[in-house]
Amino acid sequence: MSKISAFRPGLKTVFRASTVAGLAAVMLATGIPARVTESFAEAVSVQAPQVASFADVVQAVSPAVVSVRVQSDIKPANDESNFSFNFGGRGFDELPDDHPLKRFFREFGGPDQFHGDRGPDRRFGDRGPGRKPHLRPTAQGSGFFISEDGYIVTNNHVVNDGSAFTVVMNDGTELDAKLVGKDSRTDLAVLKVDEKDKRKFTYVSFADDSQIRVGDWVVAVGNPFGLGGTVTAGIISARGRDIGSGPYDDYLQVDAAVNRGNSGGPTFNLNGQVVGINTAIFSPSGGNVGIAFAIPASVAKGVVADLMKDGKVDRGWLGVQIQPVSRDIADSLGLADAAGALVVEPQADSPGAKAGIKKGDVITALDGDPIKDPRDLARRVADIAPGKKVDLSVWRDGKAQTIPVEIGTLAGEQIQAATSTDQAAPEQESSEQALADLGISVTPGDDGLTVTTVDPDSDASDRGLKEGDRITSVNNQVVKSADEVIKVIEGARKDGRSKALFQIETKDGSRFLALPIDQG
């Protein structure tokens, strides 16, 4: 701001800068002496701190990220060459002659416009046999090029049940694509741009996510709510998240804003490598609340390679139903650590059953590497090539032993887990003693002991045992009478164990339950 001071005897006047030119002219004309002092206000400018910018990363990776549009063949409820009408459970011909709908159709054209000898009205499309696909948009998501020749990675749930696929590049170019393969167990799918397009595409690669740490910066790029090319940033909030979506859950949790439409899109590190594929969010409202889950690159890399090669994923299969080993179960079996996978039931003719694995075994290691829990076993078996022989370390009857197993092939959509139970119920519906001190009573039968009463204040009740449950074994020994139960428990007491392991059969399947035993 400029300031001018004019001096006359005994007078000081200050004028605004906007009148400088006019005042100067007046003072020159009148001979008034003047002194002009100039000072200027400057725009605020602060030296920016050295904070990482994502602009270089975004500029480099954006051409590789696409929006995915899915169309499905929507079939009418009555997929016949003739349309049919139903009014309140009655056909058109059953309506009375004075019915408003009959009057309407008489005046404006009745149902014979749509069916009858003349066939379907072509204005409404031929829905009859041999009809052309009736495609309608059903889903949209995100994806990214993983090779220069047009292979695209996205989520299975984005393309599932789709009949036609279109990818939209960041410059707005739309390209037709075909489905190469999909894998529901990891929620991954691969598309391929139409072979007619011979261009080379900008693509990205998977990172070594073993180097990713909680707190590292990440950038998510995708198509939320149809807004293609949207970029958000955040950090890795956690690793190894199990959200109950399948047997191979091992998600990265990120706090970058991820919303509907981001599914299948990449999460990048600051080197422009894909560390995860966005697939799910936790949200009470359906929108972003800062909790998103991405399939880690270590899981996606092998699955995507298999899908690109064969259109399917070959996984190893052991064929046993398993559940976690709790502290109580470990105590009942004499195990030092509550780790490994407790075998509930080997599947008939499975590799595990053929190798001699039995119900009640605890699988503690695979080829010498300790097994943390059932999901750890499921993931590791799935990664083994079918036909390979491995050694399983098993805890049975209070002793460790090794069982060689030839890994089988997991069929297409056969079972929910490679070795597995999806969500093994934590110690519920198990077993009991035939004694009142355990709070239960039982009735013997050919297939075990049926629980007839359960004391609501007992440990058995607290652990989920119910009337009608059937006890088939205690500490892996088949029992058919209360005396046999007591005999097994006495043996456990002599071995210094404080709990006994009951196997319970219910309408929902078989489970193990560890119950405290009276040391009397």
Side-chain angles (χ1 to χ4, degrees):
M1 175 177 192
S2 297
K3 180 172 69 176
I4 297 177
S5 299
F7 297 92
R8 300 183 71 175
L11 176 66
K12 180 179 179 181
T13 307
V14 179
F15 299 92
R16 300 179 68 86
S18 58
T19 62
V20 169
L23 288 173
V26 171
M27 288 186 287
L28 288 174
T30 59
I32 299 174
R35 184 179 67 195
V36 179
T37 303
E38 298 287 343
S39 64
F40 298 92
E42 297 181 354
V44 174
S45 177
V46 179
Q47 182 66 38
Q50 296 300 309
V51 177
S53 170
F54 307 114
D56 290 341
V57 176
V58 173
Q59 183 177 1
V61 303
S62 289
V65 182
V66 299
S67 300
V68 178
R69 297 176 182 169
V70 181
Q71 292 180 303
S72 298
D73 183 5
I74 305 299
K75 299 180 181 180
N78 188 340
D79 191 19
E80 299 176 356
S81 60
N82 295 334
F83 284 107
S84 64
F85 291 81
N86 186 287
F87 305 97
R90 293 184 292 176
F92 182 81
D93 293 335
E94 298 177 43
L95 296 176
D97 291 338
D98 60 348
H99 194 282
L101 286 172
K102 274 204 170 181
R103 293 199 302 269
F104 173 84
F105 283 119
R106 276 198 299 269
E107 183 173 354
F108 297 103
D112 60 351
Q113 294 288 330
F114 313 109
H115 68 87
D117 294 337
R118 292 190 296 172
D121 187 333
R122 294 297 184 251
R123 294 175 299 170
F124 295 86
D126 186 352
R127 307 291 200 274
R131 65 182 174 83
K132 295 180 180 179
H134 194 64
L135 299 178
R136 289 286 183 270
T138 55
Q140 65 178 1
S142 306
F144 57 94
F145 285 106
I146 197 64
S147 69
E148 67 175 14
D149 55 346
Y151 283 95
I152 296 167
V153 179
T154 186
N155 278 147
N156 173 66
H157 76 259
V158 172
V159 302
N160 197 32
D161 297 327
S163 301
F165 311 94
T166 303
V167 297
V168 184
M169 301 178 64
N170 72 322
D171 62 1
T173 303
E174 296 188 7
L175 302 170
D176 291 333
K178 65 178 182 179
L179 180 64
V180 175
K182 58 184 181 178
D183 180 52
S184 62
R185 291 182 174 89
T186 55
D187 196 24
L188 290 169
V190 172
L191 301 172
K192 177 72 165 64
V193 170
D194 196 313
E195 297 287 352
K196 297 176 183 178
D197 200 317
K198 299 297 183 181
R199 81 178 78 179
K200 293 185 177 180
F201 298 94
T202 300
Y203 68 97
V204 291
S205 60
F206 288 113
D208 177 6
D209 64 32
S210 66
Q211 304 302 313
I212 288 290
R213 299 177 302 166
V214 173
D216 280 350
W217 282 107
V218 289
V219 177
V221 185
N223 179 43
F225 305 110
L227 301 172
T230 296
V231 179
T232 57
I235 62 170
I236 299 291
S237 302
R239 299 192 54 152
R241 288 299 196 204
D242 177 0
I243 63 175
S245 65
Y248 311 124
D249 281 14
D250 189 27
Y251 290 105
L252 300 175
Q253 180 184 329
V254 300
D255 74 346
V258 173
N259 289 285
R260 297 180 187 276
N262 273 110
S263 290
T267 292
F268 295 101
N269 61 18
L270 298 191
N271 294 320
Q273 299 170 311
V274 178
V275 297
I277 300 170
N278 301 317
T279 191
I281 62 174
F282 172 80
S283 174
S285 63
N288 170 63
V289 295
I291 302 177
F293 302 99
I295 302 165
S298 56
V299 172
K301 189 173 183 178
V303 172
V304 168
D306 285 346
L307 292 176
M308 290 172 62
K309 180 182 178 182
D310 302 317
K312 61 185 179 68
V313 179
D314 290 328
R315 289 190 173 90
W317 178 52
L318 185 58
V320 292
Q321 184 186 1
I322 50 183
Q323 74 176 64
V325 178
S326 67
R327 181 69 265 170
D328 284 347
I329 288 177
D331 289 343
S332 72
L333 295 174
L335 274 170
D337 299 317
L342 175 61
V343 178
V344 177
E345 189 74 46
Q347 298 175 23
D349 297 323
S350 68
K354 292 176 180 178
I357 294 177
K358 300 178 180 179
K359 66 172 69 175
D361 287 348
V362 177
I363 300 174
T364 58
L366 191 157
D367 279 342
D369 294 327
I371 297 296
K372 179 181 178 182
D373 53 34
R375 292 186 183 278
D376 183 30
L377 178 61
R379 286 192 293 266
R380 288 166 60 177
V381 169
D383 288 339
I384 298 173
K388 183 179 179 180
K389 293 183 178 180
V390 299
D391 288 330
L392 293 180
S393 299
V394 171
W395 183 262
R396 179 188 294 172
D397 297 331
K399 296 180 293 184
Q401 56 182 282
T402 300
I403 299 178
V405 181
E406 181 176 329
I407 299 299
T409 302
L410 182 65
E413 295 295 328
Q414 174 182 327
I415 308 166
Q416 192 60 24
T419 60
S420 81
T421 173
D422 229 356
Q423 196 78 17
E427 295 182 290
Q428 81 179 42
E429 302 174 331
S430 86
S431 56
E432 68 303 30
Q433 298 305 1
L435 300 178
D437 59 357
L438 290 181
I440 61 171
S441 61
V442 296
T443 300
D446 293 337
D447 298 322
L449 302 168
T450 300
V451 179
T452 53
T453 61
V454 180
D455 184 345
D457 296 324
S458 66
D459 289 321
S461 177
D462 290 344
R463 284 163 170 75
L465 190 64
K466 300 176 182 178
E467 294 178 6
D469 291 351
R470 192 171 72 254
I471 301 170
T472 58
S473 71
V474 179
N475 284 353
N476 297 319
Q477 297 184 42
V478 176
V479 292
K480 295 185 178 181
S481 69
D483 289 341
E484 291 180 351
V485 172
I486 297 300
K487 181 179 179 180
V488 174
I489 288 177
E490 290 298 335
R493 288 171 177 168
K494 290 179 181 179
D495 292 337
R497 298 181 186 177
S498 61
K499 296 180 177 66
L501 188 67
F502 291 78
Q503 184 171 18
I504 309 303
E505 295 284 347
T506 73
K507 63 181 181 180
D508 297 322
S510 181
R511 292 288 184 271
F512 282 100
L513 182 65
L515 290 177
I517 52 179
D518 182 17
Q519 294 296 321

